[in-house]
Amino acid sequence: MQENLFPELDDCKKDIQLTIPEIKNLGLVRSEENLQTLLKLYDKIDDIDLKREVVSSIGRQKNDKIIFDFIKSHVYNCGFMDIVYQMYRTCLYKGRTNAAFKELGVELKEYFNNEVLDKMYDYFSYKQSHTGKKNRVIKYQNPILLRGNNVETLNKIDENSVQLIFTSPPYYNAKIYSNYHSYKDYLKDMFQSLKACHRVLEDGRFIIVNVSPVISKRAGREFESIRYPIHFDFHNLLTCAGFYFVDEIQWIKPESSVKNRNGGYQQTRMPLSYKPNCINESIMVYRKNAPFLLDKNIAMYDKSFACDEKFDSSSCWYIAPTANKNHPAVFPKELCRRILKYYSFRGDVVLDPFAGSGTFGEVAIEMKRTPILCEQNEFYCDLINEDNIYVQL
Ligand SMILES: C[S@@+](CC[C@H](N)C(=O)[O-])C[C@H]1O[C@@H](n2cnc3c(N)ncnc32)[C@H](O)[C@@H]1O
C-alpha cells in the first residue's frame, strides 16, 4: 500500500499546498491510490490551474469506469471551460478504444458547441490519420509576374504552393489607382481576392495584410466625411476566407511624416474636435486554418534556417515610410525585410497579390525567396519587370 502522500487532504482545504509538478507526478504513476487521491483533490482544490492539472492527471489513470463516471457527473457543472477542455481531452484519448468515452465526447462537443472543442477535435482527428514528417516541396524557382486581376490570375498558380503572402491592398478609394462604386463593392472584391489567396497558400502558413483606416473627402462643408475602419472589416473577410487571427503588429511612422489632423483642436481646444495624427498602420497577421500546430510547418526546415540573433521583440515596429515617384503607396523595404525574416524561410515562394511597384518582390529576391507578384495596372507591371527578371504568366 502506498503511503498517504497528502494526509492534509483529510483536513480542511486551506492546508493543501500542492504544486503542478506534484499533481503531474500523481498522474504519471497509474494506481488506484493515486486515482483516489486525485478525485479527493478535485473536490478540495479551488485554484483553477491546479484543478485543471488534477483533471488532466485523472485522465491519465487507468480505471476507465471511475474516470467515466467522474467526468459524466462533473463536466456539466464544473463551472470552468478550462476544466471542460481537459475532460474532453480525456474523452478523445480514451475514446480511441472505449466506445462510452467516444460517445461522451460527441455529447460534450454538441452540448458546449465551443470553438476550442471543435479545434481539439480537428487536431486530434488529423493526428490519428497523419503521421510522419511532411517533406518540403518548392513548386516555383523563378520570380513570376501575373498581369491582371488577382482573382483570375492566381488560378494559374497551384493550390498549396505558396509559403507566405504579404500585401497591402488598395485602401478603398484613397489613391488614384482605385475607383470602387461603393465600400460594399470594395469589400466584396477584396473577399474574392482573399479566397484566391487562400487556395494557393500552404496549409498553416501566414497571410499578412497591411491596412489602415481611411477617410473620404467631404462633398461640401455641410456634409460629414466618412471614416472607414478597413482593418476591422478585413478581420471578417480574412476569417470568412479561411484564415485565423494570430497577431496585430503596429507599423509606427515618425509624426512628421503623416498628415497633420491637429489643426482644428489646436485652434479651439474644444472637446470633441480632437483628431490625433495617425502614425500607425495595422499589420494584420493571420494563419491559414490547419488542423496541426505551427511546429509541423517549422519541422520541414532544418536548424540552419534559423534567423540571426537580433530580433524585434515587440508588436510596435518603428519604420519611416518611403516615397516613390512612380507609385503613391509603396512599402518601405525595411517592412518587407522584417516580414520575410519572421514569416518565411530561405527558398520559400512568397506572394504579393496587390504588388504595386513590386517592392515586396524586390526584397524577396534580395533575401533569396521566390516572389510571385500580381498587379492589374499595366504601368506598374512594366515598372516591376523593367529588368526582365520575372516570368510573365
Ligand atoms: C497599395 S498598392 C500596393 C503597393 C505596393 N505595396 C508597393 O510597394 O508598391 C495596391 C496595388 O494593388 C493593385 N490592385 C488593386 N486591385 C487589384 C487586383 N484585383 N488584382 C491585382 N492588382 C490589384 C493596384 O493597382 C495597386 O497598385
Side-chain angles (χ1 to χ4, degrees), residues 148-150 168-170 177 327 329-331 353-359 375-377 380:
N149 186 333
N150 54 30
S168 180
Y177 46 74
H327 195 286
V330 300
F331 280 143
F354 299 97
S357 63
T359 321
E375 177 52 56
Q376 66 181 12
N377 180 304
Y380 300 144

Side-chain angles (χ1 to χ4, degrees), residues 326-354:
N326 293 312
H327 195 286
V330 300
F331 280 143
K333 281 185 154 193
E334 178 56 22
L335 183 59
C336 298
R337 259 181 224 117
R338 293 192 200 187
I339 296 291
L340 285 159
K341 170 177 169 174
Y342 298 126
Y343 297 103
S344 72
F345 293 85
R346 211 169 51 244
D348 278 354
V349 177
V350 298
L351 165 71
D352 183 346
F354 299 97

Side-chain angles (χ1 to χ4, degrees), residues 22-135:
E22 281 172 328
I23 297 172
K24 270 202 168 96
N25 282 338
L26 280 174
L28 288 178
V29 180
R30 300 166 112 212
S31 70
E32 279 308 308
E33 288 80 11
N34 281 3
L35 178 55
Q36 288 309 322
T37 307
L38 287 162
L39 292 171
K40 277 191 207 159
L41 278 172
Y42 181 85
D43 287 334
K44 306 244 172 187
I45 283 177
D46 284 332
D47 180 283
I48 182 70
D49 289 331
L50 293 179
K51 212 171 173 99
R52 183 178 174 276
E53 206 52 53
V54 168
V55 174
S56 162
S57 288
I58 289 174
R60 289 179 199 281
Q61 293 293 323
K62 62 178 175 204
N63 190 329
D64 283 359
K65 170 82 181 77
I66 293 182
I67 298 170
F68 181 87
D69 290 344
F70 162 76
I71 294 181
K72 184 96 185 159
S73 59
H74 288 84
V75 70
Y76 296 107
N77 54 12
C78 64
F80 292 99
M81 285 311 288
D82 274 351
I83 301 288
V84 173
Y85 302 153
Q86 286 307 317
M87 292 182 175
Y88 181 64
R89 186 165 179 253
T90 299
C91 291
L92 287 176
Y93 280 96
K94 294 217 178 263
R96 287 175 303 183
T97 51
N98 182 320
F101 276 104
K102 192 169 180 178
E103 228 171 83
L104 181 56
V106 173
E107 190 183 308
L108 297 188
K109 194 161 161 311
E110 255 176 48
Y111 177 84
F112 288 101
N113 193 13
N114 165 287
E115 67 291 346
V116 177
L117 296 186
D118 289 346
K119 198 157 187 163
M120 287 171 76
Y121 177 80
D122 291 346
Y123 273 52
F124 184 82
S125 310
Y126 179 88
K127 221 174 155 188
Q128 299 308 298
S129 50
H130 295 73
T131 46
K133 198 173 150 182
K134 227 175 128 192
N135 284 330

Side-chain angles (χ1 to χ4, degrees), residues 225-331:
S225 54
I226 299 181
R227 196 150 162 74
Y228 301 90
I230 300 184
H231 57 318
F232 293 158
D233 290 313
F234 255 77
H235 169 76
N236 281 338
L237 299 184
L238 282 158
T239 49
C240 290
F243 305 103
Y244 70 87
F245 171 71
V246 176
D247 264 315
E248 186 188 14
I249 293 170
Q250 291 295 335
W251 165 20
I252 316 278
K253 307 172 196 175
E255 195 162 349
S256 57
S257 70
V258 305
K259 196 169 171 249
N260 182 20
R261 299 171 73 227
N262 296 163
Y265 184 73
Q266 254 167 351
Q267 269 177 12
T268 64
R269 303 281 161 161
M270 288 298 280
L272 315 193
S273 69
Y274 173 70
K275 288 192 179 71
N277 289 335
C278 299
I279 62 167
N280 62 314
E281 291 204 22
S282 279
I283 306 291
M284 307 172 70
V285 182
Y286 285 65
R287 183 172 180 242
K288 180 171 171 178
N289 287 336
F292 50 81
L293 297 174
L294 254 185
D295 305 16
K296 199 171 175 79
N297 297 108
I298 297 172
M300 288 194 220
Y301 302 83
D302 69 52
K303 294 260 186 303
S304 68
F305 284 86
C307 297
D308 54 25
E309 275 173 22
K310 214 171 134 242
F311 69 99
D312 298 276
S313 57
S314 88
S315 59
C316 290
W317 291 0
Y318 296 83
I319 301 173
T322 302
N324 180 311
K325 63 176 175 11
N326 293 312
H327 195 286
V330 300
F331 280 143

